[in-house]
Amino acid sequence: SGVNRKVMLNGYIVIAKIVSVLSIAASLYVYNIWLCLIVLIAPMPTLWTSTIGEKLRLKFVKKNTKLARRINYFQKLMLSSSAGKEMKTLGLYDFFYGKWKELADEYTLKEKKMIRNRTMLEIANSFVINLSNVGSTVFAVVLMTMGQLSLGALGAVISLTGTLMKDSSQLLS
């Protein structure tokens, strides 16, 4: 029941974000048709970085499955009560610990590299989203200076574009 409720709630949130994005797009269309194009541009950086980030994670998992299994094997072997006693009796515990430690260190380094790459993607995503937000604000100011927007409409457009960027990014992440 708790899982179903969470799935339903997430579904409602997605529907609410879609309605929000569409209504904001319609509102921007009223002000200027070019502002409506932000709907097409805004989600692109998030979609791109999410796709690449998931590809990196999948590649990491596929490439390191064997390594993770070996780490798991040595860990379970050292932690099991029957094998642990035999290893201590025969003096093999240091050998197995050394093997486990070597593999775990290798896996940790690879995982850190993957996390660093995904973090760099997220930084690039944030930069592009902020850049598009600034671009839309500059575009709205240019429209105001050309006489196509009033000062009050400028405030509304800036608020709407900010909300649109946030909602479309949350919708795709």
Side-chain angles (χ1 to χ4, degrees), residues 158-173:
I158 289 173
S159 176
L160 287 171
T161 55
T163 305
L164 177 65
M165 299 288 186
K166 184 181 72 139
D167 283 355
S168 59
S169 294
Q170 288 175 350
L171 189 60
L172 294 172
S173 59

Side-chain angles (χ1 to χ4, degrees), residues 2-75:
V3 173
N4 290 337
R5 184 171 187 257
K6 186 174 181 179
V7 169
M8 290 297 290
L9 186 62
N10 286 342
Y12 290 135
I13 290 171
V14 167
I15 291 170
K17 293 290 182 188
I18 289 172
V19 169
S20 172
V21 166
L22 292 177
S23 63
I24 290 171
S27 299
L28 289 173
Y29 181 79
V30 168
Y31 290 113
N32 189 304
I33 192 168
W34 291 105
L35 289 171
C36 189
L37 292 176
I38 295 170
V39 175
L40 299 174
I41 297 169
M44 293 302 166
T46 303
L47 185 62
W48 180 72
T49 55
S50 296
T51 303
I52 291 177
E54 287 304 310
K55 282 182 181 179
L56 284 173
R57 189 190 61 75
L58 182 64
K59 182 180 175 184
F60 171 78
V61 168
K62 278 183 166 181
K63 204 172 186 181
N64 294 301
T65 302
K66 185 177 178 181
L67 184 62
R69 284 185 191 151
R70 289 185 68 201
I71 291 169
N72 232 358
Y73 168 74
F74 284 120
Q75 185 173 340

Side-chain angles (χ1 to χ4, degrees), residues 67 71 98-110:
L67 184 62
I71 291 169
K99 285 283 190 186
W100 172 82
K101 177 89 170 106
E102 176 185 321
L103 295 172
D105 288 344
E106 180 183 346
Y107 186 85
T108 303
L109 287 175
K110 289 180 178 182

